[in-house]
Amino acid sequence: MALLQVWKFFGNTPPEGMNSDLQSTCSGSNCMAWLKPIYVLSFTATCYGVFMIFELLPRVESIHSFLGPGLWGYTLYEKETFMVMVGFHLFLALFLYSFRMAAMSSPGRIPLKTTDDVAKWRDGHFRIDLQTEDTIKKIMATIGMKIGDSVKDIVRAMVVVERKKKYGSHRFCGFCTLYKPDRTHHCRICGKCTLRMDHHCPWLANCVGYANYKFFFLTIFYAFCLCSMMVIQMAPTVLHIMSNIRSNHLFPVVVVYSLALLLTPLLLGFLVFHFYLAMNAMSTIEYREKKNSEDPYVQRRFEVAHLKFDHGYLNNLRDAFGPLYLLPIPYFNGTNGVYLPIDPVAMSKKQKPLP
């Protein structure tokens, strides 16, 4: 219930498919799965302690010893130290909050809250006429056939576009006994279907999907900011240590600096990759297993289905990161995790809730 309270605190309801129960996370009942998240937090605490004890606190102490506390804030060095102290703790707080939300919140589950949800995802009543169904199957089976605007309109008006490879039938999860919305996949590790599943992240002990993808992305972003700040600020200290072999007591600084120096380009590459995926309306699964599949028919089915999701770079970012997609703040308010077609008439009517 804590997650639901967080969303209510921001004045919004959880995104469609997000369960208010934290037990809906992938590894809620598996204690061993939390070893890697605990390692991430332990590593973060170690880096924080080394950076504070050997870098920031000595700066503050030297300023107080030389000038006294009453003269703080007059020189460029003092102002820089103050900004680094505030900025580092701000990034750290945002990193920890984003990490918590990515690890502890539901990645998005197939909704069964209304009678309409039950009719679609449990019973498979998609109300797609036979002519449209036959047209889509023909287009998906014909490699090289040009896709025009009329086909795009048909695809975007369908409840579900993706089909099974064999026979072209609707995708049904035998484990969850539910029909899958577009871009939904079953996670073998957590044993549940995840809306717009990107991947299962062992460092979060959770799936990364529609409802927590922005938190996952911001976790990487703030980790990159923290590592970059440590690399820049600790460089003079490390150079001093390397030139003075008697500074053995500063060995932890060299270790943390080396790890931060190694992680910075890795995090940047990971960040750029996921930003590319978000801009092009793709998940890691779709990029690896569909777009770049060796099977031309798998590529063709993805090409047709992708017409439904790809609405241009900015709209794709809005879908992945929510209305505030340009702001790096850990907040997400998505509304269409099952990728139903937008019908203004239907949206104006209230769905009948389940009794």
Side-chain angles (χ1 to χ4, degrees):
M1 296 301 293
L3 178 61
L4 183 63
Q5 294 173 0
V6 171
W7 285 100
K8 288 182 177 180
F9 174 78
F10 285 109
N12 289 281
T13 57
E16 184 174 353
M18 177 180 279
N19 199 322
S20 61
D21 189 356
L22 291 183
Q23 293 296 325
S24 62
T25 57
C26 290
S27 305
S29 59
N30 188 354
C31 295
M32 293 297 294
W34 291 103
L35 290 179
K36 287 188 177 180
I38 292 173
Y39 170 79
V40 171
L41 295 177
S42 301
F43 177 74
T44 303
T46 301
C47 292
Y48 173 77
V50 171
F51 188 61
M52 287 294 296
I53 294 172
F54 292 97
E55 187 65 34
L56 291 185
L57 291 182
R59 291 191 191 184
V60 175
E61 184 180 358
S62 65
I63 293 172
H64 276 248
S65 300
F66 183 71
L67 297 175
L71 298 177
W72 178 271
Y74 286 91
T75 67
L76 182 62
Y77 178 75
E78 295 167 16
K79 293 178 181 178
E80 179 187 349
T81 301
F82 176 77
M83 293 300 296
V84 170
M85 181 77 76
V86 173
F88 184 78
H89 284 88
L90 176 62
F91 284 136
L92 180 63
L94 290 171
F95 166 78
L96 292 175
Y97 181 77
S98 298
F99 181 84
R100 176 196 178 277
M101 293 297 290
M104 298 296 293
S105 62
S106 169
R109 304 302 182 194
I110 300 176
L112 296 171
K113 296 179 181 179
T114 67
T115 54
D116 191 41
D117 291 336
V118 172
K120 287 187 180 73
W121 314 124
R122 191 187 67 184
D123 303 330
H125 296 159
F126 300 121
R127 300 174 184 175
I128 301 175
D129 60 83
L130 293 178
Q131 183 178 358
T132 301
E133 192 74 37
D134 292 339
T135 301
I136 290 299
K137 286 183 179 180
K138 180 181 179 181
I139 295 171
M140 286 185 172
T142 308
I143 300 176
M145 179 181 177
K146 187 176 180 181
I147 300 176
D149 292 335
S150 58
V151 175
K152 184 183 294 187
D153 294 337
I154 293 174
V155 169
R156 290 184 175 178
M158 296 178 67
V159 176
V160 286
V161 179
E162 295 181 334
R163 297 289 187 272
K164 284 187 176 180
K165 180 178 179 180
K166 195 173 184 179
Y167 306 122
S169 56
H170 294 294
R171 300 186 308 141
F172 181 80
C173 179
F175 298 97
C176 301
T177 62
L178 294 171
Y179 285 90
K180 298 179 184 179
D182 287 329
R183 312 186 77 180
T184 298
H185 297 276
H186 184 85
C187 177
R188 292 174 295 177
I189 299 176
C190 67
K192 297 178 182 179
C193 285
T194 300
L195 299 179
R196 202 189 68 199
M197 181 175 172
D198 188 87
H199 67 286
H200 183 92
C201 181
W203 301 104
L204 296 173
N206 197 5
C207 274
V208 176
Y210 177 77
N212 67 344
Y213 183 77
K214 183 176 184 180
F215 301 118
F216 162 77
F217 183 86
L218 289 180
T219 299
I220 303 172
F221 174 74
Y222 294 129
F224 168 73
C225 292
L226 290 170
C227 287
S228 300
M229 184 173 290
M230 286 192 295
V231 167
I232 295 172
Q233 295 298 323
M234 295 172 69
T237 303
V238 172
L239 291 176
H240 172 73
I241 295 173
M242 300 302 292
S243 62
N244 186 0
I245 59 175
R246 290 179 296 179
S247 301
N248 295 329
H249 65 287
L250 297 178
F251 179 73
V253 178
V254 178
V255 175
V256 169
Y257 184 84
S258 301
L259 293 173
L261 191 63
L262 175 65
L263 285 174
T264 299
L266 295 177
L267 290 170
L268 179 61
F270 205 44
L271 198 64
V272 171
F273 173 68
H274 275 280
F275 190 75
Y276 165 80
L277 293 181
M279 285 183 62
N280 290 276
M282 284 188 290
S283 65
T284 301
I285 292 177
E286 291 166 346
Y287 178 80
R288 293 182 58 186
E289 300 180 9
K290 296 185 178 183
K291 185 177 184 296
N292 295 311
S293 173
E294 296 180 356
D295 189 336
Y297 290 97
V298 173
Q299 292 184 4
R300 178 62 175 181
R301 286 195 300 274
F302 172 74
E303 180 185 3
V304 175
H306 193 245
L307 295 172
K308 182 180 179 181
F309 321 126
D310 190 1
H311 296 274
Y313 293 147
L314 293 182
N315 287 325
N316 293 341
L317 290 175
R318 185 179 290 110
D319 173 65
F321 302 135
L324 302 177
Y325 60 95
L326 293 178
L327 299 178
I329 57 176
Y331 169 78
F332 179 73
N333 187 24
T335 57
N336 194 14
V338 293
Y339 291 95
L340 294 175
I342 304 299
D343 184 354
V345 177
M347 290 292 287
S348 63
K349 297 179 181 179
K350 236 180 179 180
Q351 290 184 334
K352 183 180 177 182
L354 286 171

